[in-house]
C-alpha cells in the first residue's frame, strides 16, 4: 500500500486528486497486521478519501478491457474497472526449497525453530530471512535481528555449547505515507509492538523525523553496516551478547 499513499500524495500536490478514485483492495481484513498501526492507517484512509475493499483476492486481469477480477469471501467473483492498476503478487518460496526435504508442510519455507533458527528435523541446517518459516514479516530489519542469533547459536553448537540465543520475532515496516511522512511499524511475534523510540514520539502517527530516518539514515546504514553484519535490529550498532560466545571470533 506504500505506492498508493505516495500516489495519493503526488496527485494532491499536482492538484488533480479530486478527479481520481483511489481504491485499495486486499485479501486480508485490515490495513496492517498489528492493531495499533492498522487503526492509524484506517484513520488516514478515511481522512484522505481512499476506498478500501477487504477480503478481495485478485484472481485475473483483463488488460484490453481494463478490468480486475477478485474472489470475495463467499467464493463469488467481482469485477472492478480501472485506469491504472498496481498489483503486489502472492509471494512464496522458490521451488528448489518448497520441493526439498527442508521445507515445512504449510507454506514450503525452510522449517526452522522460531526462537533458535535451527531446523526442526536437520540439526546441521540453519536458516533466516525470506527463505525461512519464521512467523514474522520478511524484511531487512528482521534479518538484522535474526543474524546475530543465528551466528551465536551456530558457533555455540560448533563448540558443543547450548544454542541459548533467542529471536523474538522483531521486524520493522517503515510505511511512507507521503513525501515527508512515515509511520514506523516495529513489532515482534504475536503482533506485539516493539518500538525503538516510544519515549520520544508516537511511531503510529505520520512523522517527518521518521521520514528522514527512512530516506537518509537507513540507506546509509544498509550499505555501510547491514551488509557487513554490523547492524543489530532494534539495537542498531550495539551488538547483543550472550554469555560465553564472541560472535566475531571464529572457533
Amino acid at each position: 500500500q506504500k505506492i498508493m499513499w505516495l500516489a495519493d500524495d503526488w496527485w494532491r500536490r499536482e492538484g488533480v486528486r479530486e478527479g481520481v478514485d483511489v481504491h485499495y483492495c486486499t485479501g486480508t481484513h485490515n490495513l496492517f497486521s498489528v492493531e495499533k498501526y492498522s487503526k492509524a492507517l484506517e484513520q488516514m484512509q478515511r481522512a484522505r478519501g481512499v476506498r478500501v475493499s477487504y477480503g478481495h483476492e485478485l484472481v485475473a486481469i483483463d488488460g484490453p478491457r481494463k478490468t480486475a477480477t477478485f474472489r470475495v469471501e463467499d467464493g463469488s467473483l467481482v469485477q472492478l474497472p480501472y485506469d491504472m492498476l498496481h498489483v503486489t503478487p502472492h509471494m512464496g518460496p522458490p521451488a528448489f526449497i518448497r520441493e526439498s526435504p527442508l521445507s515445512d508442510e504449510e507454506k514450503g519455507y525452510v522449517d526452522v525453530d522460531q526462537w533458535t533458527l535451527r531446523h526442526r528435523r536437520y540439526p546441521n541446517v540453519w536458516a533466516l530471512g525470506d527463505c525461512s518459516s519464521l512467523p514474522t514479516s520478511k524484511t531487512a530489519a528482521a534479518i538484522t535481528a535474526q543474524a546475530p542469533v543465528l551466528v551465536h547459536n551456530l558457533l555455540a553448537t560448533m563448540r558443543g555449547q547450548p544454542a541459548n540465543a533467542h529471536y523474538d520475532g522483531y521486524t520493522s515496516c517503515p510505511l511512507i505515507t507521503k513525501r515527508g511522512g512515515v509511520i514506523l511499524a516495529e513489532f515482534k511475534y504475536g503482533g506485539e509492538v516493539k518500538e525503538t523510540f516510544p519515549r520520544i514520539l508516537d511511531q503510529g502517527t505520520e512523522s517527518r523525523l521518521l521520514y528522514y530516518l527512512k530516506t537518509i539514515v537507513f540507506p546509509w546504514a544498509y550499505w555501510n553496516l547491514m551488509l557487513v553484519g554490523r547492524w543489530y535490529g532494534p539495537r542498531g550498532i550495539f551488538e547483543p551478547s550472550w554469555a560465553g560466545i564472541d560472535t566475531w571470533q571464529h572457533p
Side-chain angles (χ1 to χ4, degrees):
Q1 60 182 274
K2 295 178 185 178
I3 187 62
M4 177 188 69
W5 298 123
L6 289 173
D8 172 82
D9 179 58
W10 187 83
W11 288 323
R12 291 178 187 277
R13 292 174 184 271
E14 293 296 311
V16 299
R17 177 61 176 86
E18 291 185 0
V20 180
D21 177 21
V22 182
H23 193 172
Y24 179 68
C25 297
T26 174
T28 67
H29 297 89
N30 47 50
L31 288 177
F32 201 82
S33 58
V34 178
E35 184 179 9
K36 172 180 179 176
Y37 309 116
S38 184
K39 286 183 176 179
L41 292 168
E42 288 170 6
Q43 184 177 4
M44 187 167 62
Q45 164 250 320
R46 290 190 293 269
R48 296 191 185 182
V50 173
R51 285 199 295 155
V52 175
S53 294
Y54 297 108
H56 278 53
E57 180 184 2
L58 181 66
V59 294
I61 298 172
D62 188 333
R65 293 179 56 204
K66 289 193 172 181
T67 60
T69 302
F70 298 85
R71 179 178 290 109
V72 295
E73 292 183 324
D74 64 4
S76 62
L77 299 179
V78 175
Q79 286 191 336
L80 298 176
Y82 67 85
D83 292 306
M84 187 193 80
L85 180 67
H86 183 275
V87 176
T88 300
H90 286 290
M91 292 173 240
F96 74 88
I97 290 178
R98 185 178 62 252
E99 297 170 3
S100 77
L102 298 176
S103 66
D104 65 348
E105 295 182 356
E106 183 180 359
K107 296 182 178 179
Y109 292 103
V110 179
D111 189 14
V112 294
D113 178 82
Q114 71 178 47
W115 308 108
T116 64
L117 282 64
R118 191 175 197 173
H119 201 280
R120 296 178 184 274
R121 301 185 303 278
Y122 302 101
N124 62 329
V125 174
W126 307 75
L128 78 170
D130 291 5
C131 73
S132 71
S133 63
L134 299 173
T136 191
S137 295
K138 299 182 183 300
T139 67
I143 294 174
T144 63
Q146 295 162 14
V149 173
L150 189 152
V151 170
H152 168 87
N153 287 338
L154 178 60
L155 293 179
T157 300
M158 294 171 69
R159 292 186 171 102
Q161 299 173 1
N164 61 352
H166 283 186
Y167 169 59
D168 65 1
Y170 171 83
T171 190
S172 173
C173 301
L175 300 167
I176 302 179
T177 54
K178 63 181 180 181
R179 186 183 302 173
V182 159
I183 291 176
L184 181 56
E186 291 182 289
F187 52 98
K188 58 184 181 179
Y189 287 143
E192 183 179 347
V193 174
K194 183 181 180 179
E195 295 179 342
T196 303
F197 311 105
R199 299 177 183 177
I200 301 176
L201 48 80
D202 180 5
Q203 294 182 205
T205 60
E206 291 179 290
S207 167
R208 182 172 292 274
L209 176 62
L210 293 176
Y211 176 81
Y212 292 131
L213 189 72
K214 163 66 176 174
T215 57
I216 298 175
V217 177
F218 286 173
W220 182 89
Y222 177 84
W223 292 108
N224 294 278
L225 297 173
M226 294 184 190
L227 291 185
V228 295
R230 294 292 188 177
W231 187 270
Y232 307 101
R235 297 177 60 90
I237 62 173
F238 301 101
E239 181 180 2
S241 62
W242 294 274
I245 296 292
D246 176 1
T247 56
W248 288 101
Q249 179 180 356
H250 193 280

